[in-house]
Amino acid sequence: MVSFIFQGLAILSLAASLVAGTPTPPDTTAPRFPLRVWTHPRNPGYAWSHYAEIDPRSGEVVVNKTIGYTGFQSYITDPTVDAGSPWRKGPMYAVTKEQAFLVPVPGPDTATPPALHTYYQLKYAKKVPKDNGILWNNHTVIGRDCGGQCGGLALGYNTPNTLYSGQYYIVPSAPGSSIYKLRWKEDNVPAAYGSTLVFVWTN
């Protein structure tokens, strides 16, 4: 009888350890990278390079918020590629365990409301909301050409209309603000009102 009880406790202990170990461990083979937001030097008005950061209040990814900020590290999990390969497509995480996702921007983001196209804000959170329209599982790192000998590995997203790419852009977080929100659109969607197209380099 005592042996039976101990066997039962052992089974319960094993079951508890399996449940406790359910969360997926970090992908230790995936390259880590910061998100460096870069405007082309030929952009009218200004050109700069800043590391993106996560607003701790909203989870939104913003640019030019903290002077001297050196970036946070992210990685993309992709079991279909060789370990260590920078060319990836899949869910993206910060090393602090928040997951990245693109959430549709509420309200028009174009010059002529109502918006006829969808624009997205890049965010990170401990848990991706289950709201309709959120994109989360096809972040990509791809090669991007910015003309001449300019280019490198850049962040994109893969949808049926935008294979491995799309376009990131920035808009002021408020009228006249020097802090910008980092947003994304599909290739065939016109530029958002008041936006500047950017490259988000990962190397």
Side-chain angles (χ1 to χ4, degrees):
M1 180 66 176
V2 173
S3 174
F4 177 77
I5 292 174
F6 277 114
Q7 288 177 359
L9 290 174
I11 292 172
L12 288 175
S13 176
L14 175 60
S17 66
L18 290 175
V19 171
T22 298
T24 303
D27 184 346
T28 57
T29 66
R32 270 57 173 164
F33 51 81
L35 304 180
R36 183 168 63 89
V37 180
W38 183 82
T39 59
H40 202 289
R42 291 196 294 269
N43 271 354
Y46 61 91
W48 46 248
S49 175
H50 292 292
Y51 288 104
E53 59 185 297
I54 303 171
D55 187 317
R57 296 170 300 176
S58 65
E60 293 180 328
V61 177
V62 297
V63 189
N64 203 36
K65 182 176 185 293
T66 303
I67 301 300
Y69 185 72
T70 57
F72 65 95
Q73 299 290 309
S74 292
Y75 62 93
I76 292 175
T77 59
D78 185 350
T80 67
V81 299
D82 294 334
S85 171
W87 310 90
R88 290 175 170 265
K89 177 172 72 74
M92 182 166 69
Y93 301 87
V95 294
T96 47
K97 300 183 180 180
E98 294 89 354
Q99 186 169 357
F101 57 98
L102 294 166
V103 60
V105 175
D109 214 15
T110 58
T112 307
L116 301 177
H117 305 280
T118 302
Y119 300 85
Y120 298 87
Q121 170 69 44
L122 179 62
K123 300 182 72 172
Y124 281 77
K126 293 294 185 182
K127 187 176 182 180
V128 176
K130 295 182 179 179
D131 301 338
N132 290 333
I134 284 180
L135 307 177
W136 61 272
N137 63 340
N138 280 317
H139 298 275
T140 64
V141 170
I142 57 167
R144 293 295 298 267
D145 179 10
C146 46
Q149 295 182 335
C150 171
L153 296 175
L155 187 67
Y157 197 88
N158 183 26
T159 71
N161 297 322
T162 297
L163 295 179
Y164 305 104
S165 183
Q167 294 179 313
Y168 273 97
Y169 66 93
I170 54 173
V171 291
S173 59
S177 176
S178 60
I179 301 172
Y180 297 85
K181 295 188 176 186
L182 184 60
R183 293 181 171 174
W184 180 87
K185 69 178 187 68
E186 293 184 322
D187 286 326
N188 61 348
V189 171
Y193 179 63
S195 68
T196 299
L197 296 178
V198 296
F199 293 86
V200 182
W201 301 118
T202 64
N203 62 341

